[in-house]
Amino acid sequence: MAMTNEEGERCEPILSLHHIHAHPRDDVEANLIMLCGSGTTGHHGAVQHREEWARDALRAILRASRPDFARYLAVKLGSRESAEEWIARKL
């Protein structure tokens, strides 16, 4: 059975890891999220191509269920405020 997103669209049958904060690409759990697609296809591709709907969805998921990413980014950028600014501007 194929997985679908909230709109009922079919997800790609493959999954790949996406680096949320890409520069540098820290390979730590707090900076990674599993998305369908290869990086050029599926939801991973949509995020990589900076499609607004995909970035909005990723931002909402991170805020709702990934406090580890918020902590990671605050440490990386020096403060919670800097992290929130980065999320609003880059994600």
Side-chain angles (χ1 to χ4, degrees), residues 16-19 33 35-49:
S16 58
L17 286 171
H18 171 70
H19 289 88
I33 191 165
L35 298 173
C36 80
S38 67
T40 58
T41 63
H43 291 98
H44 195 168
V47 169
Q48 289 293 101
H49 289 105

Side-chain angles (χ1 to χ4, degrees), residues 14-75:
I14 60 170
L15 298 174
S16 58
L17 286 171
H18 171 70
H19 289 88
I20 304 163
H21 185 266
H23 301 290
R25 289 184 167 176
D26 290 340
D27 290 335
V28 296
E29 187 174 349
N31 190 39
L32 297 168
I33 191 165
M34 188 71 68
L35 298 173
C36 80
S38 67
T40 58
T41 63
H43 291 98
H44 195 168
V47 169
Q48 289 293 101
H49 289 105
R50 304 194 59 77
E51 292 187 31
E52 188 174 342
W53 66 268
R55 301 298 245 184
D56 289 346
L58 180 58
R59 189 171 31 257
I61 289 167
L62 292 173
R63 285 190 170 138
S65 63
R66 291 292 304 273
D68 60 328
F69 173 69
R71 288 189 300 272
Y72 160 82
L73 196 56
V75 168

